[in-house]
Amino acid sequence: MWAADAVSRHWMEKTGDPYLPEIARIAQRIGSPGIYMLNLSFEWSCTTGLAPDPATPGNRMLRTLDWPLDGLGRTLVVTRHDGRAGDYFNVTWPGFAGITTAMAPGRFSAAINQPPMRWTSPVMALDWVANRAAIWRNGGLPPAHLLRKVFDECTTYDDAKRMLCETPVCIPVFYSLSGTDADQSCAIERMETRADIREGQVSTANHWIGFRVPGRARGFDSVGRWHCMEETHALGVADDFSWVSPPILNATTRVAVIANAQARKLMVRGWERDGPATEVFTL
């Protein structure tokens, strides 16, 4: 852990990561190793859907996050940030400086999904090393830190979309962005310096749709989860988490979120492998 922290901190210093001072303060307060490595982790799979809200004005984001670590659902928190562009609510964990899912009232909601690991060899471990070596060579922002920067600095959906599309990132990522108008939403597939955008009612899991990049699948049944989210939009489900069902719901599901920035609506529930782990948080 100490070695991983040292490498992670050195990389953030080398690339000028804007959240390194904050992460350093967290590490000092915790007093044990792992915080720097935690803040460069990017191993989760997810399912996200964007569509007009069937019950209230605005655009609604439905989102689950899957990560095979026990305890993430029980320790989930929602934090309120006073960003330069306005307040926002971050669905996160103590010690994590980036953003995976958040809602800024009156501005936008957004979430991260992970694309497949790039395929470079017949051996997964070698692919993992090759992908991490590529990160070391480039100076783009970690995807979760770019999303934090967007919530901190962008006042409009268009500003957020531009920053998510144009800012270099250190590794490929999928972003889902939901605005305040009913038809204001897009899925952004990112390579390090390129972007592919799908507008309107869209769903994202953990496989490429715009770019065609050979890779190793992430999570459980990505295509099945994507189809299920597409059907969920067509049904116009209520805000009761009934849509969190297989295959969207699986043994690694830890978070489920419903967000509508225009309605200032945020509903969050933590999950563990044996079912719901928290009460429903409602903003």
Side-chain angles (χ1 to χ4, degrees):
M1 293 289 279
W2 287 110
D5 266 5
V7 171
S8 299
R9 178 167 187 162
H10 179 67
W11 184 85
M12 284 189 277
E13 289 172 344
K14 181 182 111 164
T15 58
D17 191 292
Y19 300 106
L20 177 57
E22 179 179 325
I23 295 166
R25 289 194 299 271
I26 296 170
Q28 184 178 28
R29 181 166 182 175
I30 296 298
S32 59
I35 291 298
Y36 294 97
M37 184 181 70
L38 167 69
N39 279 280
L40 289 185
S41 60
F42 189 48
E43 300 299 334
W44 46 79
S45 55
C46 321
T47 313
T48 309
L50 311 172
D53 195 313
T56 59
N59 192 276
R60 186 177 67 169
M61 179 175 76
L62 306 180
R63 187 298 201 278
T64 58
L65 184 147
D66 302 341
W67 209 358
L69 294 176
D70 294 338
L72 288 181
R74 290 191 301 273
T75 57
L76 188 67
V77 298
V78 177
T79 61
R80 187 184 67 81
H81 294 245
D82 183 13
R84 292 187 293 277
D87 288 359
Y88 61 88
F89 294 85
N90 182 12
V91 182
T92 188
W93 297 270
F96 188 71
I99 287 179
T100 63
T101 312
M103 188 275 288
R107 291 193 285 150
F108 46 79
S109 306
I112 281 179
N113 289 37
Q114 190 183 44
M117 182 189 298
R118 279 192 179 117
W119 185 89
T120 60
S121 76
V123 182
M124 183 174 180
L126 295 178
D127 284 348
W128 189 91
V129 171
N131 278 266
R132 275 9 185 217
I135 294 173
W136 186 262
R137 290 193 299 269
N138 78 62
L141 276 175
H145 292 190
L146 173 56
L147 194 56
R148 166 79 181 271
K149 185 177 174 68
V150 164
F151 276 92
D152 279 341
E153 300 180 6
C154 294
T155 57
T156 69
Y157 169 87
D158 289 335
D159 290 341
K161 180 179 174 182
R162 187 177 306 109
M163 185 177 286
L164 290 173
C165 288
E166 296 178 0
T167 305
V169 290
C170 68
I171 192 171
V173 60
F174 299 156
Y175 291 113
S176 297
L177 180 64
S178 169
T180 53
D181 294 341
D183 60 351
Q184 201 174 43
S185 58
C186 65
I188 303 168
E189 294 187 0
R190 279 298 312 270
M191 304 293 285
E192 286 84 351
T193 57
R194 293 183 293 150
D196 182 87
I197 306 171
R198 291 179 286 125
E199 306 272 3
Q201 182 171 305
V202 289
S203 301
T204 303
N206 300 99
H207 59 279
W208 296 98
I209 295 177
F211 289 117
R212 300 298 177 185
V213 182
R216 297 183 181 274
R218 301 279 191 187
F220 170 78
D221 189 10
S222 177
V223 174
R225 286 184 282 115
W226 179 82
H227 279 298
C228 188
M229 184 61 78
E230 291 281 282
E231 293 171 1
T232 296
H233 289 321
L235 293 173
V237 297
D239 293 334
D240 58 2
F241 292 104
S242 61
W243 54 274
V244 186
S245 60
I248 292 175
L249 176 65
N250 58 78
T252 65
T253 301
R254 298 294 177 263
V255 182
V257 176
I258 300 168
N260 179 329
Q262 178 172 325
R264 300 173 181 264
K265 174 172 64 182
L266 180 65
M267 301 174 66
V268 181
R269 192 165 206 180
W271 297 71
E272 294 292 340
R273 64 176 66 241
D274 57 352
T278 70
E279 299 296 325
V280 175
F281 168 87
T282 303
L283 184 65

